[in-house]
Amino acid sequence: MRNRDLQLTDAVGPWRMRAIVFDYYGTLSNPAGESERRALYSRTGEVLGIDGEVFWAAMVDTFRERIVGAYGDTRSTLSAIAGRCGVTPSEDVLAEAVRVQVAGARHTQRPRPDAVKTLTALRERGFRLALMSDCSSELVEDWPNNPFAPLIDAPVFSWRERVRKPDPSLYEAAATRLGVSAADCWYVGDGGGRELRGAHDAGMRPVLVTNAAHPEAAQHRADPDEHVPDHSVDDLPDLLDLVGWAA
């Protein structure tokens, strides 16, 4: 009996979890992308006829509203932000601004090295995977083209849900859509939006991605998390040793 118990532990890991919920930005995405966001937003502003720095400041000021869908889709959002900056773009200019904005967003969303490979391995180990992201419209609208889309069983977007982390309803939605309880879930994130405290309070087992190789990434976290979880990894491939196999 003892040998059988040891074999079971080796097979599924000591935690016997069934699912993993991932943050997106700075966790699945390449942390270097956040440092490039300012320049990419400035390009959108220039297309709209707005000074790049002025447009960047307006986007930063409206972050909390944009990620809960306050301005609607990307086209409506850019139109509203342009209005805040005193500009009324033509339809053609607005269409080009949307194209530039989505292209820039796609660049900041690019996967970190080995992320797709790691998620593929986790699925092969039997884990169900969810995404829970504080995000604006661009990620949601372009999700079908995202490299992670085929690997994620349950995407949960703040823009669509109209609430942001650490709102308990987001964690509940992720677990429910995966068909598991919160206690069956790891939560993996870099600590923005107080997400790790939210995961802990929801009954999930949080894991901090330290991004040790990207020390500059910490300055881009919104509402940094003060909760220090029991588990941490420096990069996503390290998860494979931590979580083992799904129960």
Side-chain angles (χ1 to χ4, degrees):
M1 179 65 72
R2 183 181 179 188
N3 288 339
R4 285 178 56 195
D5 289 343
L6 288 174
Q7 289 170 3
L8 180 61
T9 298
D10 290 342
V12 302
W15 314 112
R16 300 183 59 77
M17 310 293 271
R18 298 173 59 196
I20 306 175
V21 182
F22 287 94
D23 168 50
Y24 193 89
Y25 292 102
T27 300
L28 293 184
S29 71
N30 192 320
E34 293 304 304
S35 299
E36 300 160 2
R37 190 181 296 275
R38 185 171 189 153
L40 294 168
Y41 278 13
S42 294
R43 292 178 194 172
T44 303
E46 291 164 2
V47 171
L48 290 166
I50 303 167
D51 177 81
E53 289 301 300
V54 171
F55 184 76
W56 164 253
M59 292 292 276
V60 171
D61 288 345
T62 58
F63 171 74
R64 287 175 174 80
E65 292 78 26
R66 290 188 294 107
I67 64 172
V68 294
Y71 300 105
D73 63 11
T74 301
R75 182 186 180 284
S76 297
T77 297
L78 295 183
S79 179
I81 302 303
R84 286 172 61 103
C85 297
V87 171
T88 303
S90 68
E91 291 299 315
D92 288 346
V93 167
L94 189 56
E96 176 62 10
V98 170
R99 187 193 68 78
V100 171
Q101 178 71 9
V102 170
R106 189 178 294 164
H107 186 69
T108 65
Q109 294 159 8
R110 68 189 185 274
R112 68 192 299 150
D114 293 324
V116 170
K117 181 179 178 180
T118 299
L119 266 64
T120 300
L122 291 169
R123 286 178 62 91
E124 291 172 350
R125 293 183 179 199
F127 286 102
R128 292 184 59 74
L129 306 181
L131 171 71
M132 202 179 92
S133 178
D134 275 355
C135 65
S136 50
S137 55
E138 299 91 342
L139 180 61
V140 184
E141 293 171 358
D142 201 39
W143 182 246
N145 300 314
N146 191 287
F148 293 112
L151 301 171
I152 297 295
D153 299 296
V156 179
F157 303 112
S158 67
W159 181 86
R160 181 173 287 160
E161 304 296 326
R162 301 299 192 255
V163 292
R164 60 190 291 257
K165 300 172 188 176
D167 192 286
S169 66
L170 294 174
Y171 301 89
E172 180 181 358
T176 298
R177 294 172 196 177
L178 287 172
V180 300
S181 70
D184 291 323
C185 299
W186 295 95
Y187 182 92
V188 180
D190 69 334
R194 293 173 290 152
E195 62 187 352
L196 302 173
R197 167 57 67 185
H200 175 271
D201 291 349
M204 296 181 180
R205 188 179 293 274
V207 180
L208 170 66
V209 179
T210 68
N211 285 327
H214 302 273
E216 76 289 349
Q219 65 182 302
H220 300 291
R221 292 177 185 151
D223 294 337
D225 205 323
E226 295 181 355
H227 178 71
V228 179
D230 293 334
H231 308 286
S232 66
V233 294
D234 290 337
D235 207 344
L236 283 190
D238 300 335
L239 277 176
L240 298 174
D241 289 334
L242 173 64
V243 304
W245 293 68

